[in-house]
Amino acid sequence: MLTYWARHARLPDGIADAVAIDVADGRITAVTPGAPPRGEILGGLVLPGFANTHSHAFHRALRGRTHDRRGTFWQGTFWDWRNGMYALADRLDPDSYHRLARAVYAEMALAGITCVGEFHYLHHRPGGRPYANPNAMGEALIQAAADAGVRITLLDALYLSSGFGKPLEPAQERFGDNGLEGWLDRVERLEPRPHARIGGAVHSVRAVPDDAITAFACSTEGRPVHVHLSEQRAENDACRAAHGCTPTELLERCGLLGSDLTAVHATHLTEHDVRLLARSGTTAAFCPTTERDLADGIGPARALADAGVRLTLGTDSNAVVDMFEEARAVEMHERLASGERGRFTADALLDMAGGHDTLGWNDAGRIAPGARADLVALSLDTPRTAGARPDGIVYAATAADITDVVADGRHIVHEGRHRYIDAGAELREAIGDLWQ
């Protein structure tokens, strides 16, 4: 048994002082507030490990390259930005994707993320021809997470069309499968592992015909399922033109809404859409740093929460990997949209970073006996956090203030450094090779 001692720790009923956390076999066995220092001292404030509920790991290679005409690509809208993303995707193979993803997941570990939901649609060779192992790209991601010491839920995405009634474009052919049956056959060959779960995803209503969504909904029971929903107004307009309804209404018709579903972005919703998500028990995943980077818009976070929809957080394109910034941005975007402060409590914002169960890890996300031993230690004396109260740390801290991270009882970040991967060096090399 190993004991961690925290000066402060965020427990299920609030922040406690002088907390001893006993760990054995990757699980928390006891939590004792008011304990004298013993074992390994984490100091500062200890939080449960974060769940990143929506990631596209390969998008990390676009960071700093899409913002002006001097960059590799200049992008004016989301739809323009996609062209740069397609060009990047075309350069990846299983080996290069593994190298990139292990560094990306190490960057996430440094930011306190102990579990990632990888929304995976980069399946085949350019042109759509499968690799000898048709899941080579997905397996590369699963191995990358193991290398970085984090858990992964591979949300393998169904992607069949380029738009309503339109075939895949050449740049999208490696995303597609030979219909739903081809997707099911491929995904059934993926095996869960101690650090990996296998989920499913409908890329979007524009990328999967409605009859396939209906059949998909009947084929994925018991798995976590995610979908991009109403990220762009243009998609909403196209859905209305094709089906006479919003994307949310279409998902309800197809039977996909429900407690196993997470709707990613949920940016441009009608009041009726909000009610449908709430009534069905669907979760929403907000990715504020990406949503503003791509000029998507500001989602109705407060309206969704008031209706009873649970909110979680993702880093999506990994333009920023910082769960404090994602959480803080939900509140700050609400302030900009409403003209009011205090739209969410600090506790509510931190709770959004704990969406482990939406990724199939129901035994994580809390510092309590029986839970997975996922701990994030945060310094309270950096130039950013000094003087902040522990219960208001979400408004002060950044990922740079994290000193130590424990995932499943394994100490993967110590004194601000990943113990197994030099994330900066590996990112620089992997991304440089892709763009050379």
Side-chain angles (χ1 to χ4, degrees):
M1 185 180 73
L2 177 66
T3 298
Y4 294 99
W5 185 88
R7 191 172 304 281
H8 311 282
R10 186 173 189 255
L11 307 183
D13 57 355
I15 292 177
D17 300 332
V19 180
I21 305 165
D22 296 329
V23 174
D25 298 324
R27 300 271 176 175
I28 297 172
T29 58
V31 178
T32 309
R38 58 187 172 93
E40 187 165 346
I41 308 299
L42 293 179
L45 172 64
V46 173
L47 306 171
F50 300 139
N52 179 0
T53 58
H54 187 70
S55 164
H56 301 296
F58 78 93
H59 292 191
R60 171 63 179 81
L62 291 169
R63 187 187 296 178
R65 294 176 176 268
T66 65
H67 298 284
D68 59 50
R69 294 182 185 274
R70 295 186 301 274
T72 305
F73 298 99
W74 177 75
Q75 317 298 343
T77 69
F78 167 85
W79 305 101
D80 298 322
W81 171 90
R82 283 201 316 170
N83 295 327
M85 182 268 286
Y86 291 158
L88 169 62
D90 199 50
R91 297 166 182 248
L92 287 159
D93 59 28
D95 288 340
S96 60
Y97 202 6
H98 171 257
R99 290 176 60 215
L100 174 63
R102 69 179 248 128
V104 174
Y105 296 151
E107 181 182 7
M108 290 184 189
L110 289 164
I113 293 164
T114 55
C115 181
V116 57
E118 182 62 36
F119 197 109
H120 171 54
Y121 56 85
L122 188 53
H123 302 310
H124 306 300
R125 301 175 193 269
R129 185 164 61 92
Y131 291 99
N133 173 2
N135 287 308
M137 296 294 270
E139 296 286 356
L141 292 165
I142 290 172
Q143 184 58 52
D147 293 347
V150 301
R151 296 189 301 279
I152 186 172
T153 298
L154 190 73
L155 298 159
D156 197 291
L158 180 65
Y159 199 129
L160 301 178
S161 60
S162 66
F164 298 98
K166 298 178 180 179
L168 292 172
E169 298 173 3
Q172 300 167 326
E173 289 176 350
R174 69 182 309 187
F175 306 161
D177 287 290
N178 185 23
L180 176 65
E181 289 301 320
W183 177 84
L184 284 168
D185 178 67
R186 181 176 56 73
V187 172
E188 284 302 316
R189 303 184 196 187
L190 286 163
E191 295 185 4
R193 302 179 195 173
H195 79 289
R197 300 272 191 271
I198 308 301
V202 168
H203 180 274
S204 56
V205 295
R206 72 177 184 274
V208 182
D210 57 330
D211 57 345
I213 296 175
T214 300
F216 176 98
C218 297
S219 305
T220 55
E221 185 176 354
R223 290 185 180 181
V225 173
H226 290 217
V227 60
H228 292 127
L229 180 66
S230 290
E231 183 179 3
Q232 293 290 321
R233 291 186 179 91
E235 180 176 81
N236 287 5
D237 293 342
C239 186
R240 288 189 178 96
H243 295 287
C245 65
T246 68
T248 303
E249 291 167 340
L250 182 61
L251 293 182
E252 187 204 27
R253 291 182 191 177
C254 294
L256 192 63
L257 298 185
S259 58
D260 289 336
L261 180 69
T262 296
V264 181
H265 301 304
T267 305
H268 302 289
L269 304 179
T270 67
E271 291 182 2
H272 185 233
D273 292 340
V274 172
R275 290 194 295 271
L276 288 177
L277 295 177
R279 186 172 68 196
S280 64
T282 299
T283 296
F286 272 37
C287 308
T289 64
T290 290
E291 288 149 10
R292 69 191 184 209
D293 182 70
L294 299 182
D296 289 344
I298 296 174
R302 187 66 262 170
L304 285 164
D306 287 344
V309 176
R310 182 183 175 192
L311 302 181
T312 64
L313 299 172
T315 62
D316 192 358
S317 69
N318 298 299
V320 176
V321 176
D322 187 331
M323 296 300 282
F324 292 112
E325 178 58 24
E326 300 293 349
R328 187 162 51 239
V330 173
E331 167 68 15
M332 298 307 170
H333 289 184
E334 273 287 321
R335 292 182 186 186
L336 290 173
S338 68
E340 297 179 354
R341 302 178 79 248
R343 302 286 284 175
F344 289 92
T345 66
D347 273 342
L349 295 175
L350 284 177
D351 286 344
M352 293 177 196
H356 303 78
D357 54 323
T358 68
L359 300 174
W361 303 94
N362 297 343
D363 53 355
R366 59 192 180 277
I367 300 176
R372 290 175 178 271
D374 293 353
L375 308 173
V376 176
L378 181 73
S379 174
L380 296 179
D381 58 6
T382 74
R384 292 163 296 278
T385 60
R389 291 190 337 206
D391 61 0
I393 202 63
V394 70
Y395 294 110
T398 72
D401 302 311
I402 291 171
T403 60
D404 292 81
V405 178
V406 175
D408 282 331
R410 184 183 177 195
H411 204 154
I412 59 173
V413 173
H414 180 60
E415 295 182 351
R417 291 184 175 274
H418 198 286
R419 285 191 155 178
Y420 312 107
I421 297 172
D422 184 337
E426 293 200 16
L427 282 165
R428 183 170 59 251
E429 182 177 345
I431 294 171
D433 287 348
L434 287 171
W435 290 122
Q436 67 180 3

